[in-house]
Amino acid sequence: HRLENALATTQTRNTLLATRYDFGVLQGNFGYADNRAIDDNKSNDSKSNDILVGFSAPFGATKLVASYIRHNDKSNANRDAQQWAIGAFYALSKRSDLYTGYGHISNKNGALYTVGNATDKGTAGRDDLYGVGLINPRATLRGLGLAR
């Protein structure tokens, strides 16, 4: 069940298709999601879909990444959103990366999405996120970063 729906009066169905292809000089990513929420009283039914296009390109110890996501709300509210992000990873060692990134989201018709996180309440309009940090997946502390 969902936290905001403790009585389970809404059923959800999500379908995700994703692929990645290595072009040699870069890897391309594509994802498509179909989302449906069906309310018992039928007044709050909603449908939406999401498309993600992204890439990563290695240049020596550096890897550049970028992505674009479009959320298409098919309800009467039509709360669409578009997000794009860019970033870079620098390999300090075999296990540790230094990273930086920037993401921007544009919300429409009162949508409240935030950059990189569709679960937190955002503000209508836009949201930006800057980040820098260190990642070591084998350490107890897997990531350390600063964001705004």
Side-chain angles (χ1 to χ4, degrees):
H1 74 278
R2 295 170 52 174
L3 183 61
E4 70 274 10
N5 186 18
L7 299 177
T9 57
T10 302
Q11 300 174 32
T12 58
R13 185 184 81 196
N14 304 86
T15 304
L16 173 65
L17 301 171
T19 188
R20 181 173 75 180
Y21 187 79
D22 191 341
F23 294 97
V25 294
L26 65 89
Q27 287 184 342
N29 303 290
F30 176 80
Y32 175 82
D34 183 65
N35 315 296
R36 298 172 191 257
I38 303 163
D39 197 306
D40 284 351
N41 66 16
K42 303 291 183 205
S43 64
N44 293 324
D45 286 1
S46 66
K47 295 179 185 178
S48 67
N49 61 38
D50 303 286
I51 293 175
L52 173 137
V53 178
F55 80 85
S56 63
F59 296 99
T62 303
K63 179 167 51 169
L64 302 176
V65 295
S67 67
Y68 171 79
I69 302 170
R70 174 148 179 14
H71 174 75
N72 181 18
D73 180 8
K74 296 181 178 180
S75 71
N76 291 334
N78 195 28
R79 292 188 173 118
D80 296 341
Q82 294 183 62
Q83 175 182 295
W84 61 268
I86 56 172
F89 293 85
Y90 181 78
L92 297 173
S93 70
K94 208 163 52 167
R95 297 185 197 123
S96 298
D97 289 342
L98 185 63
Y99 71 87
T100 187
Y102 171 76
H104 172 81
I105 194 165
S106 296
N107 290 307
K108 301 218 165 98
N109 301 321
L112 301 175
Y113 299 105
T114 60
V115 173
N117 188 344
T119 59
D120 292 339
K121 292 283 187 191
T123 57
R126 57 176 271 182
D127 185 40
D128 296 292
L129 180 68
Y130 311 90
V132 63
L134 176 67
I135 299 173
N136 184 334
R138 296 180 190 238
T140 303
L141 179 62
R142 295 186 186 271
L144 177 62
L146 301 170
R148 170 10 300 167

